[in-house]
Amino acid sequence: QQQVKQSPQSLIVQKGGISIINCAYENTAFDYFPWYQQFPGKGPALLIAIRPDVSEKKEGRFTISFNKSAKQFSLHIMDSQPGDSATYFCAAIDNQGGKLIFGQGTELSVKP
Amino acid sequence: DAGVTQSPTHLIKTRGQHVTLRCSPISGHKSVSWYQQVLGQGPQFIFQYYEKEERGRGNFPDRFSARQFPNYSSELNVNALLLGDSALYLCASSFGSSGGGAKNIQYFGAGTRLSVL
């Protein structure tokens, strides 16, 4: 069964701090790992994505770290801002057809 | 460029009715996928279409069906609505390819909020 497990379920960070969200997957039938940001009432918006043969990718304040041997990957948000308050989903793209398998989501709250 | 567009944005139906949701992909994208998102959970895969052919189907009952048109737009149909079908229905598009990789990264629309009373 294809699964992606995400933690923590919720996270409170002070403005300027680092937010860290972790994910783990259970099989190797995935070939791309995107992260999405979702605001209430909106669709998920692509933040950043990484291939499994890359250990780290950075875009602005957002960095993905990927550990292929441990089947784990994480999102780091540097200098977190109140505007970053949203729900974040890690996901994995199935290499057979391209469907997305999502983690359970992390509700991030950045306090001013 | 326009992103993924979905219509309608909100819909209220009663149990037993039928609903049709519509999606237009990003220009140049040939693959459309549908997801159901219940409040507080991650989106769950329903269908994927590529070049008008069904590429994948999630664990949803036969009351759910979909199709993709020659212009790559798509419809999701749900028959005999149940209270439990109340959710945000998301459409996503990608370039799509049999080879996988970055061409399968999906971009989402704003969704259709379906309420079944």
Side-chain angles (χ1 to χ4, degrees), chain B residues 55-80:
Chain B
R55 176 180 271 182
R57 173 185 287 250
N59 188 25
F60 280 80
D62 291 344
R63 299 184 295 106
F64 289 76
S65 64
R67 55 180 175 167
Q68 187 178 31
F69 299 99
N71 67 353
Y72 302 109
S73 67
S74 178
E75 282 183 356
L76 175 69
N77 294 282
V78 186
N79 292 323

Short mmCIF file of all heavy atoms in Angstrom, two decimals, chain B residues 55-80:
data_model
loop_
_atom_site.label_atom_id
_atom_site.label_comp_id
_atom_site.label_asym_id
_atom_site.label_seq_id
_atom_site.Cartn_x
_atom_site.Cartn_y
_atom_site.Cartn_z
N ARG B 55 -6.17 6.89 -16.87
CA ARG B 55 -4.87 6.35 -16.52
C ARG B 55 -4.89 5.72 -15.11
O ARG B 55 -4.10 4.84 -14.82
CB ARG B 55 -3.81 7.44 -16.57
CG ARG B 55 -2.44 7.00 -16.12
CD ARG B 55 -1.46 8.13 -16.19
NE ARG B 55 -0.80 8.21 -17.48
CZ ARG B 55 0.15 9.10 -17.78
NH1 ARG B 55 0.51 9.98 -16.89
NH2 ARG B 55 0.70 9.10 -18.97
N GLY B 56 -5.80 6.18 -14.28
CA GLY B 56 -5.83 5.66 -12.92
C GLY B 56 -7.16 5.95 -12.26
O GLY B 56 -7.84 6.91 -12.60
N ARG B 57 -7.51 5.10 -11.33
CA ARG B 57 -8.75 5.24 -10.59
C ARG B 57 -8.46 4.94 -9.13
O ARG B 57 -7.82 3.92 -8.83
CB ARG B 57 -9.80 4.30 -11.15
CG ARG B 57 -11.09 4.21 -10.37
CD ARG B 57 -11.99 3.14 -10.97
NE ARG B 57 -12.53 3.58 -12.25
CZ ARG B 57 -13.81 3.89 -12.44
NH1 ARG B 57 -14.66 3.84 -11.44
NH2 ARG B 57 -14.24 4.27 -13.63
N GLY B 58 -8.94 5.79 -8.25
CA GLY B 58 -8.75 5.58 -6.82
C GLY B 58 -9.84 4.70 -6.25
O GLY B 58 -10.70 4.18 -6.95
N ASN B 59 -9.83 4.56 -4.94
CA ASN B 59 -10.77 3.68 -4.25
C ASN B 59 -12.09 4.40 -3.96
O ASN B 59 -12.40 4.72 -2.81
CB ASN B 59 -10.13 3.17 -2.95
CG ASN B 59 -10.97 2.10 -2.29
OD1 ASN B 59 -11.75 1.42 -2.95
ND2 ASN B 59 -10.82 1.96 -1.00
N PHE B 60 -12.82 4.67 -5.02
CA PHE B 60 -14.11 5.33 -4.91
C PHE B 60 -15.17 4.46 -5.60
O PHE B 60 -14.86 3.74 -6.54
CB PHE B 60 -14.05 6.72 -5.57
CG PHE B 60 -13.42 7.76 -4.69
CD1 PHE B 60 -12.04 7.86 -4.57
CD2 PHE B 60 -14.20 8.63 -3.95
CE1 PHE B 60 -11.46 8.80 -3.73
CE2 PHE B 60 -13.63 9.59 -3.12
CZ PHE B 60 -12.26 9.66 -3.01
N PRO B 61 -16.43 4.55 -5.13
CA PRO B 61 -17.49 3.71 -5.71
C PRO B 61 -17.80 4.10 -7.15
O PRO B 61 -17.42 5.16 -7.64
CB PRO B 61 -18.68 3.98 -4.78
CG PRO B 61 -18.40 5.28 -4.14
CD PRO B 61 -16.92 5.38 -4.01
N ASP B 62 -18.54 3.21 -7.80
CA ASP B 62 -18.89 3.41 -9.21
C ASP B 62 -19.81 4.60 -9.43
O ASP B 62 -20.06 4.99 -10.57
CB ASP B 62 -19.55 2.14 -9.77
CG ASP B 62 -18.58 1.00 -9.87
OD1 ASP B 62 -17.35 1.28 -9.83
OD2 ASP B 62 -19.01 -0.15 -10.00
N ARG B 63 -20.33 5.18 -8.34
CA ARG B 63 -21.15 6.38 -8.47
C ARG B 63 -20.32 7.55 -9.01
O ARG B 63 -20.87 8.52 -9.51
CB ARG B 63 -21.73 6.78 -7.11
CG ARG B 63 -22.62 5.75 -6.47
CD ARG B 63 -23.23 6.28 -5.18
NE ARG B 63 -22.25 6.53 -4.13
CZ ARG B 63 -21.87 7.75 -3.76
NH1 ARG B 63 -22.37 8.83 -4.33
NH2 ARG B 63 -20.98 7.88 -2.78
N PHE B 64 -19.02 7.43 -8.87
CA PHE B 64 -18.11 8.45 -9.37
C PHE B 64 -17.63 8.06 -10.77
O PHE B 64 -17.20 6.92 -11.00
CB PHE B 64 -16.89 8.59 -8.45
CG PHE B 64 -17.18 9.22 -7.12
CD1 PHE B 64 -17.83 8.51 -6.12
CD2 PHE B 64 -16.82 10.54 -6.87
CE1 PHE B 64 -18.10 9.10 -4.89
CE2 PHE B 64 -17.08 11.13 -5.65
CZ PHE B 64 -17.73 10.41 -4.66
N SER B 65 -17.71 9.00 -11.69
CA SER B 65 -17.20 8.77 -13.04
C SER B 65 -16.63 10.08 -13.57
O SER B 65 -16.92 11.16 -13.05
CB SER B 65 -18.30 8.25 -13.97
OG SER B 65 -19.32 9.22 -14.12
N ALA B 66 -15.84 9.97 -14.60
CA ALA B 66 -15.22 11.16 -15.18
C ALA B 66 -14.93 10.93 -16.64
O ALA B 66 -14.98 9.80 -17.14
CB ALA B 66 -13.94 11.53 -14.42
N ARG B 67 -14.63 12.00 -17.31
CA ARG B 67 -14.19 11.90 -18.69
C ARG B 67 -13.37 13.13 -19.04
O ARG B 67 -13.45 14.16 -18.37
CB ARG B 67 -15.37 11.77 -19.65
CG ARG B 67 -16.41 12.87 -19.55
CD ARG B 67 -17.52 12.63 -20.56
NE ARG B 67 -18.61 13.60 -20.42
CZ ARG B 67 -19.57 13.76 -21.32
NH1 ARG B 67 -19.60 13.03 -22.41
NH2 ARG B 67 -20.53 14.65 -21.11
N GLN B 68 -12.58 12.99 -20.10
CA GLN B 68 -11.77 14.10 -20.59
C GLN B 68 -12.12 14.33 -22.04
O GLN B 68 -12.27 13.38 -22.82
CB GLN B 68 -10.27 13.79 -20.44
CG GLN B 68 -9.37 14.98 -20.78
CD GLN B 68 -7.90 14.68 -20.58
OE1 GLN B 68 -7.44 13.55 -20.73
NE2 GLN B 68 -7.13 15.70 -20.23
N PHE B 69 -12.22 15.57 -22.41
CA PHE B 69 -12.65 15.95 -23.75
C PHE B 69 -11.44 16.23 -24.66
O PHE B 69 -10.32 16.37 -24.18
CB PHE B 69 -13.56 17.18 -23.65
CG PHE B 69 -14.79 16.92 -22.84
CD1 PHE B 69 -14.87 17.32 -21.52
CD2 PHE B 69 -15.88 16.25 -23.40
CE1 PHE B 69 -16.01 17.07 -20.76
CE2 PHE B 69 -17.01 16.00 -22.65
CZ PHE B 69 -17.08 16.41 -21.33
N PRO B 70 -11.69 16.33 -25.98
CA PRO B 70 -10.58 16.58 -26.91
C PRO B 70 -9.78 17.84 -26.59
O PRO B 70 -8.59 17.91 -26.93
CB PRO B 70 -11.28 16.68 -28.28
CG PRO B 70 -12.49 15.81 -28.13
CD PRO B 70 -12.94 16.02 -26.71
N ASN B 71 -10.39 18.83 -25.96
CA ASN B 71 -9.64 20.04 -25.59
C ASN B 71 -8.96 19.91 -24.23
O ASN B 71 -8.46 20.88 -23.68
CB ASN B 71 -10.56 21.27 -25.61
CG ASN B 71 -11.62 21.21 -24.52
OD1 ASN B 71 -11.78 20.21 -23.82
ND2 ASN B 71 -12.36 22.29 -24.38
N TYR B 72 -8.96 18.70 -23.68
CA TYR B 72 -8.32 18.31 -22.42
C TYR B 72 -9.06 18.76 -21.17
O TYR B 72 -8.63 18.43 -20.07
CB TYR B 72 -6.85 18.77 -22.36
CG TYR B 72 -6.04 18.22 -23.50
CD1 TYR B 72 -5.60 19.05 -24.53
CD2 TYR B 72 -5.75 16.86 -23.57
CE1 TYR B 72 -4.87 18.53 -25.59
CE2 TYR B 72 -5.02 16.34 -24.63
CZ TYR B 72 -4.59 17.18 -25.64
OH TYR B 72 -3.88 16.67 -26.69
N SER B 73 -10.19 19.47 -21.33
CA SER B 73 -11.00 19.76 -20.16
C SER B 73 -11.63 18.47 -19.65
O SER B 73 -11.60 17.43 -20.35
CB SER B 73 -12.08 20.80 -20.49
OG SER B 73 -13.02 20.25 -21.41
N SER B 74 -12.20 18.52 -18.47
CA SER B 74 -12.68 17.29 -17.86
C SER B 74 -13.94 17.55 -17.04
O SER B 74 -14.20 18.68 -16.61
CB SER B 74 -11.59 16.69 -16.97
OG SER B 74 -12.03 15.52 -16.32
N GLU B 75 -14.70 16.52 -16.89
CA GLU B 75 -15.88 16.53 -16.01
C GLU B 75 -15.79 15.40 -15.01
O GLU B 75 -15.34 14.29 -15.35
CB GLU B 75 -17.16 16.31 -16.83
CG GLU B 75 -17.67 17.50 -17.58
CD GLU B 75 -18.98 17.20 -18.30
OE1 GLU B 75 -19.43 16.03 -18.27
OE2 GLU B 75 -19.54 18.14 -18.89
N LEU B 76 -16.23 15.67 -13.79
CA LEU B 76 -16.39 14.64 -12.77
C LEU B 76 -17.88 14.56 -12.48
O LEU B 76 -18.52 15.57 -12.21
CB LEU B 76 -15.62 14.99 -11.50
CG LEU B 76 -15.82 14.04 -10.32
CD1 LEU B 76 -15.17 12.68 -10.60
CD2 LEU B 76 -15.25 14.64 -9.04
N ASN B 77 -18.43 13.38 -12.56
CA ASN B 77 -19.83 13.15 -12.28
C ASN B 77 -19.99 12.27 -11.04
O ASN B 77 -19.25 11.29 -10.88
CB ASN B 77 -20.51 12.46 -13.46
CG ASN B 77 -20.55 13.35 -14.69
OD1 ASN B 77 -21.38 14.25 -14.78
ND2 ASN B 77 -19.64 13.12 -15.62
N VAL B 78 -20.93 12.65 -10.20
CA VAL B 78 -21.23 11.83 -9.03
C VAL B 78 -22.74 11.60 -9.00
O VAL B 78 -23.52 12.56 -9.00
CB VAL B 78 -20.78 12.49 -7.71
CG1 VAL B 78 -20.98 11.52 -6.55
CG2 VAL B 78 -19.33 12.93 -7.79
N ASN B 79 -23.14 10.34 -9.02
CA ASN B 79 -24.56 9.98 -8.97
C ASN B 79 -24.98 9.60 -7.56
O ASN B 79 -24.15 9.27 -6.71
CB ASN B 79 -24.81 8.78 -9.89
CG ASN B 79 -24.63 9.13 -11.35
OD1 ASN B 79 -24.98 10.23 -11.78
ND2 ASN B 79 -24.05 8.22 -12.12
N ALA B 80 -26.30 9.65 -7.34
CA ALA B 80 -26.88 9.18 -6.07
C ALA B 80 -26.11 9.72 -4.88
O ALA B 80 -25.59 8.96 -4.05
CB ALA B 80 -26.90 7.65 -6.05
#
